[in-house]
Amino acid sequence: MSNIYGYIRVSTQNQNDDRQRLALLNFGILEKNIFTDKQNGKDFNRPAYKRLMRKLKPDDTLVIKSIDRLGRNYVEILDQWKIISEHKKTAIVVLDMPLLDTRRGKDLVGTFLSDIVLQVLSFVAENERTTIRQRQAEGIAAAKARGVHFGRTPKPLPVNFHEVYQKWKRKKI
């Protein structure tokens, strides 16, 4: 018997996955069959993704909201797509891009079109990751130039710190 699984990824613990979850539930996926990771998409070393991959069997279906939720690394997205669709023989449905639905269009033209769309979207996903990192670095540099300090405010040392430190260093305490 085939199962339908959903995969959700958000980049940080603080990000909300409701939009993706609602789309998967509306597709008819059971909550127990939805796997969620809260970490960036630079690679596929994610705990829920690994559990999902162990679950997938031939004739199952994997549903994701958009290709960038699968990952942000062009080459790895293509590799994972091949592993899922060809090696595991699991169908893949990308809700935001109907051309990326391996349940239909299995003829030569359909396969050709989905391969082209997959490559373009995978490139866009990785490019967006690079752009985000560049914007982040520029924002940090601009903040530092304005005198913004990052991290916690240092706590003042106790008045006898250096004396206690020297004793500790000499193994007296």
Side-chain angles (χ1 to χ4, degrees):
M1 182 167 167
S2 62
N3 290 302
I4 301 175
Y5 295 100
Y7 180 69
I8 294 172
R9 185 190 64 77
V10 291
S11 298
T12 67
Q13 291 293 327
N14 303 348
Q15 284 184 315
N16 190 317
D17 65 14
D18 288 349
R19 178 182 64 85
Q20 293 177 67
R21 185 170 307 281
L22 185 59
L24 296 178
L25 292 171
N26 286 340
F27 190 83
I29 301 170
L30 301 174
E31 183 70 44
K32 69 177 187 163
N33 286 348
I34 297 175
F35 292 77
T36 304
D37 279 312
K38 292 195 171 198
Q39 65 186 81
N40 70 37
K42 69 178 180 172
D43 60 36
F44 284 85
N45 189 19
R46 301 178 226 135
Y49 184 78
K50 287 180 176 182
R51 281 194 317 277
L52 169 66
M53 291 300 285
R54 286 192 296 271
K55 281 256 191 202
L56 292 177
K57 303 284 184 262
D59 298 322
D60 284 347
T61 301
L62 171 61
V63 181
I64 55 175
K65 175 80 170 106
S66 59
I67 197 71
D68 65 332
R69 299 301 84 205
L70 187 59
R72 294 258 190 205
N73 181 305
Y74 176 75
V75 172
E76 287 190 20
I77 290 172
L78 297 177
D79 288 344
Q80 290 300 309
W81 188 276
K82 187 172 187 170
I83 289 168
I84 295 166
S85 64
E86 293 179 20
H87 299 320
K88 290 195 170 278
K89 300 197 182 327
T90 298
I92 306 172
V93 177
V94 180
L95 296 176
D96 287 353
M97 184 54 62
L99 280 174
L100 292 178
D101 183 343
T102 63
R103 298 174 304 170
R104 54 185 109 113
K106 298 219 182 242
D107 62 348
L108 187 58
V109 174
T111 303
F112 174 71
L113 285 175
S114 63
D115 284 352
I116 289 173
V117 171
L118 175 63
Q119 290 203 16
V120 168
L121 292 178
S122 300
F123 169 78
V124 169
E126 181 168 338
N127 193 50
E128 179 63 15
R129 179 173 168 251
T130 304
T131 303
I132 289 168
R133 289 173 56 202
Q134 180 181 350
R135 284 187 205 134
Q136 182 182 31
E138 290 169 356
I140 291 169
K144 284 182 177 179
R146 290 191 317 270
V148 173
H149 295 283
F150 292 90
R152 287 189 287 198
T153 308
K155 290 191 169 233
L157 295 174
V159 256
N160 65 341
F161 174 80
H162 294 292
E163 176 186 329
V164 172
Y165 172 72
Q166 290 304 323
K167 286 182 180 177
W168 173 82
K169 198 172 169 184
R170 292 190 305 267
K171 300 187 189 298
K172 299 285 185 199
I173 57 172

